[in-house]
Amino acid sequence: MDKFIVENQKDIGQRLDKLAQSLSGLTRNRVANLISSGDILVNNKPSKAGYALRMGDKVAINLPQVKEAGVLPQNIPLDILFEDDHILIVNKAKGMVVHPSAGHEDGTLVNALLYHCRGSLSGIGGVMRPGIVHRIDKDTSGILVVAKSDAAHNGLAVQFANHSIDRQYVAIIHGRPKADKGTIDAPISRHKIHRKKMAMNPDGKRAVTHYEVLQTFPRHSLIQATLETGRTHQIRVHMAHIGHPVLGDPIYSNAKQNFGLEGQALHACFLGFEHPIDGKDMLFGTLKPPYFEEVLAKIKNTK
């Protein structure tokens, strides 16, 4: 159960359902159902969705566990860049969740993979995460490698653990960093209060992000970010840490954006690794997706 105490001025007067949605990352309908079922409480009591929060209110969100069964294959189109007997490279669409979780029981990449691969996925990830070696956030688009065999899964896991996999992203951020190139070396761990949020923490795991400004605009910048490590939300946390959060980030940015963007403008554009079975160099890149180009066209005229 996640617990949150209303302490910031910006949260006072906010509707319960909207705060719960921003804290949990769930859909509006899912939050409404949780409030109706009594799984979201204010000061240990059920409350209405429109309740206006007050200073000191204690909000508790209980997310029922997803059952380890019933993950069904679904015929969901996938943008597959490469496939053989051991691995599959997919260009994940923005808005698609990687594996089932509370509030996202179907319509995920795993559901799509179960249909496409017809049972030929590594079982190491368990029922909920077959073939999943790594993940990217729901509203982050881009390249993922999926393991179709256990041998491939183990081989890829070693490369991820050794930080030998080359992962590059493009992102649109607020403002312009003082230096056009830089390295952010700052440890990250789970937020002490918000279960779905990460935070800078001296006692956290080491996290290193290298960035380079590719293009500047009146109020934003397009950057390339290369991961040396792969912590949850790493780029999003690091860019917010230096005062340039990713555009549209619902968790780590308080800045407004009027570009019709749902979630952060972050795309995994390049993935490089050794094939876990035959050792060949595997390099995959994608162009910026249409939504990215649309936002870039709009921010060119911002003042």
Side-chain angles (χ1 to χ4, degrees):
M1 179 177 287
D2 294 338
K3 296 182 179 180
F4 174 79
I5 300 177
V6 178
E7 297 176 319
N8 295 328
Q9 193 68 35
K10 67 182 182 64
D11 295 324
I12 298 174
Q14 186 172 180
R15 288 171 56 101
L16 172 62
D17 54 356
K18 289 188 176 181
L19 179 68
Q21 187 178 354
S22 66
L23 292 176
S24 65
L26 301 176
T27 64
R28 184 185 304 173
N29 288 339
R30 177 63 171 164
V31 167
N33 290 334
L34 289 174
I35 292 175
S36 298
S37 63
D39 286 305
I40 296 181
L41 305 175
V42 178
N43 301 323
N44 298 317
K45 297 179 181 179
S47 186
K48 295 182 179 180
Y51 171 78
L53 293 162
R54 302 174 181 176
M55 178 68 77
D57 277 347
K58 298 178 181 179
V59 179
I61 304 175
N62 176 45
L63 298 177
Q65 294 295 315
V66 177
K67 297 180 180 179
E68 284 281 320
V71 183
L72 300 176
Q74 290 180 292
N75 186 8
I76 302 171
L78 291 173
D79 181 7
I80 296 173
L81 306 181
F82 174 84
E83 183 176 9
D84 63 14
D85 291 339
H86 296 282
I87 62 172
L88 182 150
I89 309 298
V90 60
N91 183 25
K92 186 188 81 69
K94 184 179 181 65
M96 174 179 272
V97 174
V98 171
H99 53 72
S101 60
H104 302 287
E105 289 82 4
D106 58 13
T108 70
L109 177 62
V110 164
N111 294 105
L113 290 170
L114 288 172
Y115 180 90
H116 175 80
C117 296
R118 304 295 200 279
S120 59
L121 285 173
S122 166
I124 292 177
V127 175
M128 303 301 288
R129 306 183 185 188
I132 302 301
V133 186
H134 67 127
R135 58 181 287 272
I136 54 180
D137 301 324
K138 168 180 171 285
D139 286 321
T140 299
S141 55
I143 305 174
L144 281 170
V145 57
V146 175
K148 296 178 65 177
S149 67
D150 287 355
H153 197 128
N154 286 327
L156 289 167
V158 169
Q159 294 182 60
F160 275 103
N162 292 337
H163 308 304
S164 60
I165 291 184
D166 190 355
R167 284 177 286 175
Q168 296 177 8
Y169 292 70
V170 287
I172 303 172
I173 61 172
H174 288 276
R176 179 176 181 176
K178 293 180 180 179
D180 287 341
K181 291 184 179 180
T183 295
I184 306 168
D185 187 343
I188 294 174
S189 67
R190 184 72 59 181
H191 196 284
K192 294 181 179 179
I193 298 176
H194 309 311
R195 173 175 164 269
K196 294 195 177 282
K197 187 174 183 179
M198 308 301 290
M200 308 300 299
N201 185 343
D203 298 324
K205 293 182 179 180
R206 189 182 183 214
V208 182
T209 303
H210 307 283
Y211 72 86
E212 178 179 357
V213 176
L214 301 178
Q215 193 174 1
T216 59
F217 303 91
R219 299 178 63 182
H220 304 87
S221 299
L222 173 67
I223 67 165
Q224 175 179 290
T226 301
L227 295 181
E228 186 172 319
T229 57
R231 309 305 175 201
T232 300
H233 297 177
Q234 179 172 313
I235 295 172
R236 298 166 60 188
V237 173
H238 273 173
M239 297 315 297
H241 174 64
I242 65 171
H244 301 284
V246 177
L247 181 67
D249 194 323
I251 297 178
Y252 304 104
S253 174
N254 293 322
K256 295 182 179 180
Q257 61 89 13
N258 300 310
F259 308 109
L261 184 63
E262 293 291 335
Q264 61 276 358
L266 185 62
H267 176 71
C269 62
F270 181 83
L271 184 68
F273 58 94
E274 288 187 0
H275 194 289
I277 304 302
D278 60 28
K280 292 181 179 178
D281 287 337
M282 309 294 289
L283 305 173
F284 300 94
T286 61
L287 298 174
K288 294 186 290 293
Y291 81 88
F292 227 88
E293 296 290 4
E294 291 172 4
V295 173
L296 286 174
K298 292 176 180 178
I299 66 175
K300 288 180 180 179
N301 299 317
T302 57
K303 297 180 180 180

